[in-house]
Amino acid sequence: MFGWEFPPHISGGLGTACYGITTALLKQGVQITFVVPRLYGDEDAATFRLVSASGTFIDLSEPGFQKWKERLEYIEAQSALAPYSTDQATTITSGVSGLHEEAISAFSHKFQLSGKYDEHLLEEVQKYALIGAKIAAEYDHDIIHAHDWLTYQAGLAAREVSGKPLIIHVHATEYDRSGENVNVPVFEIEEEGMTQADHIIAVSEYTRQIIINKYGIPAEKVSVVHNGILPKPFHLKQSKPVKDKIVTFMGRITYQKGPEYFIEAANKVLKMVPNVRFVMAGSGDMMHRMVLRAAQLKISSRFHFTGFLKGDEVDRMYGMSDVFVMPSVSEPFGIAPLEAMQADVPVIISKQSGVSEVLDNAIKVDFWDVDALADAIAAVLQYKGLAQAFRQNGTDDIRKLNWDNTGIKIKNIYESTTKQLV
């Protein structure tokens, strides 16, 4: 299994999902070697093999490396690309110029990867492919499972070496991150991975349709397996530093998550319910614009930007929240609403999200309908009975959405895929 991040070092839902899937598959008796670009030493991997790609020695004269070496030599990242967490523009170019001499000379030594989402990301993705081939030759395995575009080429390289079937797991597509203005090199990596994979897992029917319609993949090649949430006892509500109600947005402050719709709705809500505070928890390339927009609307005194939260900070934020809002423009799934419901917080989500397929006890609006979003927020804040009903019934949704069910479905896909290829 190839991933790009693993708890506790995560920047979004991808690492959380990988942990949930791994945990669930272990319960099904699946033995897993999970590969990440680098390890920090504090990961929880007591029951499976967690492998760092960094420090892997590769002799590029060996068969199977030439194609991936040539790809690496023809890539030069000239601007930042960070599809999950960034404060910079998400653009990238590819060219025909080679890497610097010092990088080329390092090919005969150990590769070191940062695992970061920075200006060297595309180079690291290509290096990861080389390392994927090496690891596949060293570790016994029956199937290869690659999570999101960052690892697709590593999965393809591993399959070339071992001949084992490749499953790719689509947690998000470039259309989710960038809309119609896709980054072409990333789209091409996604398209290649989807086309050549033996089977594809999509985190929602919403994502499955994008894969079929935008990438031209046959429908029978794509299965839907919804994400889950780990059982977690949530303690009593946190004491708030203010008496006002708190409405929370938590996620990357970037196009995909629809932060601007949250701010516009907040402005309308404050005209109906003045004793409300709005919190935007996260970081991203639209942060500065959102701060300026709140100032333009003269609601800065009612708006709080916390920056990126993690661990206990997330739990405390949920514990102070009266409403959670996820107005995503395009959300393949969306684990955050499940976490909010688990913390006994009513949730409002966009219809353009995969999680809307499996939540019965959430208010659903179109991301662009700011009036409907504002009305929904105001209603939950003003009518205690409505909020209480969503809190009580939300536990039913959470009970059904567990990673164990996800693990069972994925194992079935493993078995059916290997049987088809025999």
Side-chain angles (χ1 to χ4, degrees):
M1 191 174 286
F2 292 99
W4 197 257
E5 55 183 52
F6 198 83
H9 302 279
I10 62 175
S11 64
L14 179 62
T16 302
C18 286
Y19 182 79
I21 291 166
T22 302
T23 302
L25 286 171
L26 289 170
K27 291 182 180 179
Q28 295 300 313
V30 179
Q31 294 180 329
I32 299 171
T33 299
F34 195 100
V35 187
V36 287
R38 64 168 296 185
L39 293 175
Y40 295 84
D42 56 352
E43 293 86 356
D44 178 15
T47 55
F48 66 100
R49 181 186 289 136
L50 191 57
V51 176
S52 173
S54 290
T56 302
F57 178 83
I58 296 179
D59 180 356
L60 292 174
S61 65
E62 294 180 12
F65 292 128
Q66 189 60 34
K67 180 176 78 172
W68 306 102
K69 174 179 176 290
E70 290 175 354
R71 289 191 179 194
L72 179 57
E73 290 175 336
Y74 281 89
I75 287 175
E76 182 179 16
Q78 298 175 340
S79 55
L81 171 67
Y84 295 108
S85 177
T86 182
D87 293 321
Q88 305 178 54
T90 56
T91 58
I92 194 163
T93 59
S94 63
V96 296
S97 57
L99 297 175
H100 299 300
E101 288 184 3
E102 59 266 29
I104 294 175
S105 66
F107 285 167
S108 60
H109 302 291
K110 291 182 179 180
F111 281 90
Q112 296 295 334
L113 301 179
S114 70
K116 295 180 179 179
Y117 301 103
D118 59 17
E119 66 272 16
H120 304 294
L121 181 57
L122 200 56
E123 285 186 28
E124 291 216 338
V125 167
Q126 297 296 335
K127 290 177 182 178
Y128 199 33
L130 280 164
I131 296 168
K134 179 69 173 179
I135 290 175
E138 292 183 346
Y139 290 92
D140 187 34
H141 59 283
D142 300 299
I143 200 159
I144 303 161
H145 189 155
H147 293 278
D148 253 7
W149 76 272
L150 299 151
T151 75
Y152 292 169
Q153 294 199 330
L156 289 170
R159 189 180 66 173
E160 287 185 10
V161 169
S162 70
K164 302 297 185 180
L166 170 64
I167 306 290
I168 68 167
H169 205 132
V170 183
H171 297 264
T173 70
E174 185 57 18
Y175 286 94
D176 299 305
R177 293 183 290 267
S178 305
E180 293 296 326
N181 300 314
V182 298
N183 288 310
V184 174
V186 176
F187 170 82
E188 290 176 345
I189 289 174
E190 291 180 330
E191 185 179 45
E192 180 184 30
M194 293 179 191
T195 301
Q196 295 192 27
D198 296 291
H199 200 77
I200 300 170
I201 296 174
V203 294
S204 63
E205 181 61 32
Y206 176 81
T207 298
R208 179 174 179 268
Q209 291 303 318
I210 292 176
I211 293 169
I212 294 168
N213 296 325
K214 298 292 188 180
Y215 295 84
I217 304 301
E220 62 273 14
K221 188 177 174 178
V222 192
S223 298
V224 174
V225 180
H226 292 109
N227 287 332
I229 185 169
L230 289 172
K232 181 179 180 180
F234 198 84
H235 301 295
L236 295 175
K237 285 283 185 181
Q238 299 286 315
S239 60
K240 293 190 289 189
V242 295
K243 295 182 179 179
D244 300 321
K245 299 286 188 179
I246 294 179
V247 180
T248 300
F249 168 108
M250 191 177 300
R252 296 188 313 280
I253 305 178
T254 190
Y255 161 82
Q256 178 188 352
K257 302 296 183 178
E260 65 268 46
Y261 302 103
F262 182 69
I263 287 185
E264 299 302 326
N267 184 47
K268 292 180 179 291
V269 171
L270 286 168
K271 294 174 181 178
M272 297 183 279
V273 190
N275 60 329
V276 185
R277 303 272 181 156
F278 290 85
V279 175
M280 186 166 280
S283 61
D285 60 285
M286 291 181 67
M287 167 77 95
H288 185 62
R289 283 172 54 190
M290 297 302 96
V291 172
L292 287 178
R293 183 55 181 157
Q296 290 171 351
L297 293 171
K298 299 181 179 180
I299 61 173
S300 295
S301 63
R302 290 277 153 185
F303 224 97
H304 305 267
F305 295 87
T306 69
F308 182 75
L309 301 181
K310 58 183 179 180
D312 292 341
E313 295 173 333
V314 173
D315 291 343
R316 287 198 296 272
M317 191 66 251
Y318 285 136
M320 290 187 286
S321 300
D322 295 283
V323 184
F324 175 84
V325 180
M326 188 186 76
S328 296
V329 174
S330 184
E331 186 71 53
F333 189 74
I335 291 178
L338 303 184
E339 296 174 336
M341 293 176 77
Q342 195 173 52
D344 211 25
V345 182
V347 303
I348 301 170
I349 59 178
S350 73
K351 295 178 181 178
Q352 291 74 28
S353 63
V355 75
S356 69
E357 300 169 12
V358 293
L359 288 185
D360 296 322
N361 296 287
I363 299 177
K364 305 168 189 178
V365 299
D366 289 306
F367 74 85
W368 46 262
D369 195 340
V370 175
D371 290 329
L373 178 56
D375 288 342
I377 295 171
V380 175
L381 292 174
Q382 290 178 302
Y383 302 108
K384 293 183 179 179
L386 180 63
Q388 186 60 26
F390 279 114
R391 289 192 186 98
Q392 291 177 345
N393 296 329
T395 57
D396 294 334
D397 287 336
I398 294 299
R399 195 177 297 113
K400 292 181 293 185
L401 290 168
N402 60 74
W403 285 114
D404 289 345
N405 291 335
T406 301
I408 292 169
K409 292 176 182 177
I410 291 176
K411 185 182 179 184
N412 289 338
I413 290 171
Y414 288 171
E415 292 173 344
S416 63
T417 301
T418 53
K419 287 177 181 177
Q420 290 171 8
L421 296 176
V422 172

